[in-house]
Amino acid sequence: MKIKIKKDSVPIGELVEISKSPKIIIFNNGKEYFGVSGICPHAKWPLELGTVKGKTLTCGGHGWEFNITNGECITNPGRNLKKYNILEANNEIIISDD
Amino acid sequence: MLTKFLGQACTLIETNNKRIIVDPWIVGPCNVNTWYTLRSKAATKKNIPTDVDYIYISHEHQDHFHKETLKEFNKNIPIYICKFKTKRFYNEIIKIGFKNIIELPSWKPEKLTKDIEITSIQNPDLMFEDSALLIKSSEGTVFCQTDCKMDFTSLKKVNAAKPDIGFFMYSVANWYPDVYNYSKEKRNEIAIKRKINKINGFVNYVDVIKPKFAVAYAGGPLFPHKSQLKLNDPIKGVFGCPDEAKSAWDNSKKIGTKVIVMAADDEIKIDGTHIKNNQPILSTNKMDALNELSIEVEEDLNKRWKAEGEASTKLSSKITEYFNRIISDNPIAKKHIDMKVQLIAEGKNGGEFILDISKNKKSGSYVKEGKTDDWNYFMKIPAHLVEKSVDGELLWETLFLSARWKADRKPDQWNEHFINLLYDPEPTRISNIYKIYEKLH
């Protein structure tokens, strides 16, 4: 799977859904882009409703926390998000799962 | 249609000449004589509206399923609950004498009368049972989240039902981080973060469901016992007040819903008219209310704590038998728990116990008396409460919610598998859960 998007479609500090199936969200912290699966494994809330502080993505439903850089669940170890690879190329980013 | 708020998650809905009470905890403390509802003056039996036609109870936590309150009701009143995977909650209700218990499959509407319909909505969690409720009549629709952590699809379905009034949980009501051995700074940092996350959750729930009017409820309680007063701190405490939820909503600039702060005993009509019958407990007056309540209930609370009694001389053998049984009955849970627990039963007839729930521990006793530094989880609990739990008289979770214990973790991580084993160690339940869990993870 490979998805190409324009960098400016992911504003700094926002969680952006870039694919519905599979659901993927991207975060741009101003230096790097991160991509993870976009559904919370706890109660299936869309994670773009969450917030990011530092490396921590917090689900907007019940506060489960994840490391946005690798998808690891902080609240409940083992309940991780899938991490997607990000490749930056000029004004685009390429998201892949290989 | 009129809804009366009676504190915590208790609502009384009157519609078309019928009265439905939800999660009646009104009088006395719950959770091992610790929690009180947000009132400056404790409720009495006179506050219990026993002339109801139906009772709905969302789940078995004592701030929702409160035996001291329920004993005032006629045992022939039908009680509706969600049809959970296990019969544990159903059986608990039978034990207190109610004769007519109806289990509702999640999202299957049930007609109470020609024009009153209720729908139970189960939480998605594999391990813990909880539910919310939707009540529809020709006069309007009311949604009660209770403290059910709902899946997002269910929220969208509740939104589609166009509720006029929604009652939403706004606060943490849990033992984390207060019982853990954190530095003051770390504890405060966690508490503030948790509180903010929960209030954000309130805002998102309201925004997705979008009732015309939303009421912040099912939040933190008051802890009036002298040994627990610091838990009530409105600034550094993890337990919020409803005005904080309203401020968060108003500051979010989201539209379409008006958030209302209700005091216990207040009423709300289906058009949003708020009938004020009491002073709400807010972050600004919480400590005054607490001090008033603390003085009022002190004597009764001390009597209740004393009446809990002491641990028996058999406690040591009971602990050994109990943990050996639940661990050896559930090897699949042990595999996932994978830790050593230092349990200190503190007080008369107590003792020190090491529970070896490591995945590599294949046979022999899982329990031995003594101390170790090699623990992953540390629990210091009053011995008489440990005895009530191993005797099956007190849910571990209820004990934990009381905050009458101390804990520590190495590493500092939640272990849902351990809490799940304590929640209900029945082997079929555990086995069924892990059949699904292992497919998902």
Side-chain angles (χ1 to χ4, degrees):
Chain A
M1 183 217 73
K2 267 190 184 148
I3 299 171
K4 224 184 248 187
I5 60 165
K6 297 281 185 201
K7 280 184 175 174
D8 59 12
S9 64
V10 188
I12 295 172
E14 285 185 24
L15 287 160
V16 177
E17 180 196 67
I18 56 108
S19 163
K20 286 195 187 302
S21 183
K23 188 172 168 75
I24 302 170
I25 55 167
I26 301 290
F27 182 72
N28 168 12
N29 68 1
K31 292 177 186 165
E32 283 180 89
Y33 293 84
F34 305 100
V36 290
S37 48
I39 302 269
C40 182
H42 171 230
K44 313 287 180 226
W45 276 60
L47 285 168
E48 66 271 23
L49 293 182
T51 52
V52 179
K53 198 173 174 186
K55 291 180 178 176
T56 304
L57 160 61
T58 304
C59 176
H62 310 103
W64 275 38
E65 293 179 335
F66 305 88
N67 183 332
I68 189 84
T69 69
N70 58 20
E72 282 181 7
C73 184
I74 301 162
T75 312
N76 212 335
R79 304 273 206 117
N80 302 336
L81 304 175
K82 181 177 166 72
K83 176 187 179 294
Y84 288 90
N85 299 320
I86 303 277
L87 185 67
E88 294 187 47
N90 299 319
N91 62 346
E92 289 183 331
I93 53 175
I94 301 159
I95 301 104
S96 67
D97 60 356
D98 47 35
Chain B
M1 195 172 197
L2 182 75
T3 302
K4 185 169 188 174
F5 173 53
L6 287 153
Q8 193 63 3
C10 182
T11 48
L12 173 69
I13 297 108
E14 294 186 22
T15 182
N16 294 333
N17 299 317
K18 296 288 180 190
R19 286 154 65 90
I20 307 158
I21 194 163
V22 182
D23 285 357
W25 167 36
I26 298 170
V27 290
C30 74
N31 294 333
V32 210
N33 301 318
T34 53
W35 292 31
Y36 278 74
T37 56
L38 288 181
R39 291 170 179 264
S40 54
K41 191 163 173 42
T44 68
K45 285 181 187 173
K46 284 182 189 164
N47 293 85
I48 305 176
T50 51
D51 53 338
V52 301
D53 301 285
Y54 312 97
I55 300 171
Y56 182 85
I57 306 180
S58 61
H59 66 297
E60 66 188 320
H61 281 168
Q62 290 185 354
D63 52 325
H64 304 260
F65 173 54
H66 190 248
K67 293 175 186 174
E68 191 174 331
T69 300
L70 282 166
K71 77 176 182 194
E72 302 301 320
F73 288 85
N74 185 310
K75 301 300 177 290
N76 291 315
I77 297 171
I79 291 197
Y80 289 84
I81 62 172
C82 187
K83 187 170 177 58
F84 294 119
K85 285 194 176 69
T86 73
K87 282 279 185 184
R88 48 179 283 142
F89 184 36
Y90 181 96
N91 292 335
E92 285 303 308
I93 301 173
I94 290 279
K95 279 185 203 164
I96 59 170
F98 283 90
K99 299 175 180 74
N100 187 8
I101 305 161
I102 301 109
E103 294 170 285
L104 305 175
S106 186
W107 276 112
K108 190 173 178 197
E110 171 91 357
K111 286 250 181 227
L112 299 183
T113 65
K114 196 175 157 194
D115 58 2
I116 306 175
E117 180 184 284
I118 61 170
T119 306
S120 178
I121 305 159
Q122 192 178 349
N123 67 328
D125 201 293
L126 265 180
M127 299 180 184
F128 307 103
E129 296 171 341
D130 202 346
S131 67
L133 184 69
L134 192 61
I135 301 146
K136 278 174 97 167
S137 83
S138 53
E139 296 181 308
T141 299
V142 174
F143 168 68
C144 299
Q145 184 195 347
T146 73
D147 55 13
C148 181
K149 295 178 178 67
M150 296 168 68
D151 64 275
F152 197 72
T153 306
S154 285
L155 260 70
K156 299 296 275 184
K157 285 169 80 172
V158 175
N159 164 268
K162 297 189 186 326
D164 298 281
I165 300 171
F167 287 81
F168 296 89
M169 186 191 190
Y170 67 88
S171 166
V172 172
N174 188 273
W175 57 88
Y176 178 75
D178 284 299
V179 305
Y180 291 95
N181 181 30
Y182 292 122
S183 67
K184 197 173 159 189
E185 293 72 27
K186 177 79 176 164
R187 183 245 157 248
N188 290 349
E189 181 193 324
I190 295 169
I192 289 164
K193 189 171 78 173
R194 286 206 83 198
K195 194 186 210 179
I196 291 169
N197 286 347
K198 202 73 192 181
I199 288 176
N200 282 343
F202 168 87
V203 169
N204 285 325
Y205 265 78
V206 173
D207 192 41
V208 176
I209 291 181
K210 279 264 192 291
K212 290 178 193 147
F213 306 97
V215 180
Y217 87 148
L222 292 176
F223 290 86
H225 192 270
K226 284 209 157 34
S227 65
Q228 297 192 301
L229 294 178
K230 68 177 180 185
L231 295 171
N232 300 288
D233 188 320
I235 310 293
K236 293 173 188 152
V238 74
F239 305 103
C241 286
D243 55 311
E244 296 170 274
K246 177 172 170 50
S247 298
W249 174 261
D250 292 344
N251 292 336
S252 75
K253 309 286 181 210
K254 294 179 189 292
I255 53 168
T257 297
K258 183 180 177 191
V259 171
I260 294 171
V261 171
M262 288 178 77
D265 298 333
D266 282 2
E267 295 158 302
I268 184 167
K269 292 183 183 171
I270 203 71
D271 65 1
T273 306
H274 180 186
I275 302 154
K276 296 178 181 178
N277 298 320
N278 210 340
Q279 281 295 315
I281 308 300
L282 310 175
S283 50
T284 47
N285 66 358
K286 183 180 179 185
M287 294 313 283
D288 291 339
L290 171 75
N291 291 334
E292 213 174 301
L293 179 73
S294 188
I295 293 165
E296 185 196 340
V297 300
E298 184 178 6
E299 194 182 332
D300 177 55
L301 206 44
N302 286 340
K303 266 188 211 163
R304 288 174 188 259
W305 279 44
K306 202 172 173 190
E308 290 167 6
E310 294 173 334
S312 76
T313 53
K314 294 177 182 164
L315 179 58
S316 174
S317 57
K318 282 183 181 180
I319 288 175
T320 304
E321 183 282 324
Y322 173 83
F323 281 104
N324 268 325
R325 175 169 52 79
I326 69 168
I327 298 167
S328 59
D329 281 355
N330 294 291
I332 185 71
K334 179 164 73 72
K335 178 184 139 189
H336 288 276
I337 293 169
D338 193 24
M339 65 179 189
K340 276 189 189 166
V341 179
Q342 173 78 68
L343 170 64
I344 312 282
E346 195 179 26
K348 192 175 176 189
N349 296 321
E352 297 159 346
F353 303 86
I354 302 160
L355 318 178
D356 190 344
I357 327 178
S358 316
K359 64 181 175 190
N360 295 328
K361 171 83 176 163
K362 297 292 181 201
S363 58
S365 177
Y366 298 103
V367 184
K368 68 177 177 186
E369 292 198 39
K371 283 185 95 166
T372 178
D373 291 326
D374 185 28
W375 50 261
N376 306 106
Y377 209 98
F378 176 93
M379 303 160 75
K380 186 189 275 188
I381 305 174
H384 70 289
L385 299 184
V386 175
E387 183 161 36
K388 287 180 196 296
S389 287
V390 298
D391 282 347
E393 291 171 20
L394 172 64
L395 290 177
W396 287 99
E397 191 141 308
T398 301
L399 192 166
F400 295 159
L401 285 165
S402 75
R404 289 175 63 180
W405 62 298
K406 293 288 169 205
D408 204 349
R409 313 188 287 203
K410 292 187 293 194
D412 184 21
Q413 283 175 343
W414 169 247
N415 188 315
E416 66 176 339
H417 308 284
F418 180 50
I419 300 297
N420 179 44
L421 180 69
L422 296 180
Y423 177 68
D424 182 357
E426 199 281 311
T428 310
R429 185 190 81 93
I430 297 277
S431 163
N432 287 340
I433 283 171
Y434 283 104
K435 274 180 201 158
I436 301 169
Y437 185 91
E438 291 192 341
K439 269 187 203 163
L440 292 174
H441 301 281

